[in-house]
Amino acid sequence: MMSDTNYLTTDFTLRSWFLTTDHKRIAILYFASLIVFFFIGGAAATLIRIELATPQADLVSSDVYNRLFTMHGIIMVWFFLIPSIPNTLGNFIVPLMIGARDLAFPRLNLMSWYIFMLGGCTTLFAIFAGGVDTGWTFYTPFSTLYSNSYVIVAAAGVFIAGFSSILTGLNFIVTIHRLRAPGLTWYRLPLFLWSLYATSVILVLATPVLAITLLLMATERFFGVGIFDPRIGGDPLLFQHLFWFYSHPAVYIMILPGMGVINELISCFSRKQVFGYKFVAWCSLAIAAVGFLVWGHHMFVSGQSLVASLVFSFMSFIVAVPSAIKVFNWTATLHKGSIHFDAPMLYALGFIGLFTVGGLTGLFLACLAYDVHATDTYFVVAHFHYIMVGGMVTAYFGGLHYWWPKITGRLYSEYWARTAAVLIFFGFNLTFFPQFILGAEGMPRRYHVYPPEFQVWNVLSSGGATILAVAYLMPLFYLGYSAFFGKRAPANPWDAPGLEWQTSSPPPEHNFTTQPVVTRDPYQYNEAFQAEPQNA
Amino acid sequence: MPDSSAVAPQYASIPHRDHTAELGMWVFIATEVLLFGGLILAYFVYRHAFPQGFAEGSRHTEIVIGTANTAVLLTSSFLVAWAIEIFSPATIRIVTWLLIGAACLGLLFIVLKGIEYSKEYDEHLVPGIDFLFAGPLANGVQLFFIFYFIATAIHALHMLIGICLLITLATLCRKAPTTRHHAALHSAALYWHFVDVAWIFLFALIYLPGRSAS
Ligand code: HEM
Ligand SMILES: [Cu+2]
């Protein structure tokens, strides 16, 4: 039963977009904003890689270089990666997946976007007014006493955007608790929802700690008081503790949603149930919980006590266990599946490989002895890019392709999509694998000049970055083309059982014309799935 | 009680909507707990490092005003709880007055806090603006007062938001109270009680350390 208007065609005025409370339209607002932030952050990365192609300083001064990597980090972490999957795909898909007509608090959802944009503009203002040179971590005493840049404004932007994160997390938690369709029990939830739930818990519990930390830092800087200043009794390490108490959990905000997407893709394109469903579901929550107890692994060389370091090292090994379980379960899902190499699946397979490398090198870094050698080198840079870019950004693209027909009602060019997926994989590895070698050989991060013997690997890395840049631009064109001229998509192009595929593409304004009722476990790819219509 | 507005499409029924709203407030309070939690953690780290400085700082606070404010806030919370208990179209006049009373007590709290701040300013105890304290305990006392001002300022901001909520609700439900107002009041009351509980923790941390033993 299809209605002829969908959420895109109900109203065409600008007002209807900027005052919308429809979760699908808000998702589109986020999509559009995040593309902008992604390319601004990407531009900074491009300049960094051009500078590093030669050992000397030719393009920028050290001072400008500091501002470049700071801007890259701040934008990519807070204005792209943290909101990436939750606020776009999550916003669009969560209500559809649970058979609801919207999120629990639609107006809060819109408000969250406006807060996000306010934070984003504040930070952009700081950046274009002259930039920030503290690194994305805002370490004291540099950020409070010595830095001569727009620290407070940039921190204010991050602080504001944090409330947007909190509101989105809150909305998801309440929605998943309260708005599930009849029959949709917790163990029938698609695993994407379990991972978004875990993410939301982190958003709600960790972000306020970042807020108070930045507030303390800004107070010290503004009033010239010594909260973290050792000359008058303060402790700069306390800043690091508070910052990483947020930021380590935050790295899981930046991977859990990606893991969630991968479950959907792997099971759809091997036409099988996810292996060990309950393990994967609980692993998301385990990661969220244990992730709060490992922050000290960022401070092994800070002078914290050996006992603390040992405990944090041990806990870091523990937190890798649920991640590893997931990787094993995905590969077990592939086993004897009927595998289809459609574009989303190529992204998913890429994710598994890249995430595994990133996770395993995390274990290197969690070893106290090795970390002393590797910390603050390119090894760390490669580690987290394998997870954040190789993992999360790849998953983001995979999910975008998978749900694209639902979001836009159009099909994209499979040929170009596969080409981009393969290019991203190779470009990524060429960019970041050499950085492991550089780091192991001792090249420190955050410098714009380096000894000539490191040049080979840096040139390879910059070359890879060129491929990666092209590959990331490609979807802009073929997806952009598809959105307007692509072939019309059917309601369920992947023949998938999820509730989001039971309504038309694109969905009508309130998602479902009749309240769906769930009678099956998720991922029943073999038999026909039933979503019996029933009156609400 | 009548419900004037139709239920938004994502809800199945009025109770469904109201319970959902309440859960939202609980999750929000969880966020707030961590916000104050981070601050209180930092306080404890420094109190551990400067036990005497913190005790000395605490002795310079106005415990009379602090205690009075605690009483004011608890009474205000009580009025809100009372308003919820008796909420119905028949009692709406009393409910409105209870809410106005609670909001006024909130304002009284802010005024007393302002008097306290000005006393501290006169005694040169405001770090970053006017702080003069000689002697070996100066660092600890300064850190104590930094936390004192940040914590109480954040708390006062929460109070202001809460006062606005109470006044808005009092005005809205004055004419024709609905179940929706009741639900909104319930959430607002949760928030108001949270602000109250946060104050009780701050009270113990601010006014008592230097006064317990000696
Ligand atoms: C498998 C579990 C993981 C372990 C055991 C682990 C371990 C570590 C360790 C020990 C460090 C500190 C290295 C140093 O500074 O010397 C580190 C840095 C980092 N990790 Fe991981 N990690 C894991 C997963 C992740 C994930 C999932 C992400 C992101 C999505 C991530 C992102 C980062 C970032 C951004 C940094 C560097 C922060 C900075 O200094 O700027 N890690 N990791
Ligand atoms: Cu970490």
Side-chain angles (χ1 to χ4, degrees), chain A residues 244 247-249 251-252 294-295 297-298:
Chain A
W244 289 114
S247 282
H248 185 84
V251 306
Y252 289 109
V294 303
W295 77 88
H297 66 209
H298 296 273

Side-chain angles (χ1 to χ4, degrees), chain B residues 99-174:
Chain B
L99 293 180
I100 301 278
C104 289
L105 287 176
L107 281 174
L108 177 63
F109 178 99
I110 304 265
V111 170
L112 287 175
K113 197 81 224 151
I115 297 175
E116 209 179 335
Y117 278 179
S118 76
K119 286 198 165 184
E120 274 128 15
Y121 180 78
D122 292 341
E123 291 172 33
H124 311 286
L125 288 174
V126 191
I129 294 174
D130 180 9
F131 188 80
L132 289 176
F133 197 94
L137 297 179
N139 282 350
V141 173
Q142 158 139 335
L143 281 167
F144 173 86
F145 273 100
I146 290 173
F147 279 99
Y148 165 79
F149 279 106
I150 293 181
T152 50
I154 293 180
H155 183 263
L157 184 67
H158 280 79
M159 294 280 305
L160 286 176
I161 296 172
I163 291 169
C164 293
L165 281 177
L166 292 178
I167 294 181
T168 315
L169 281 170
T171 346
L172 281 182
C173 66
R174 193 173 41 128

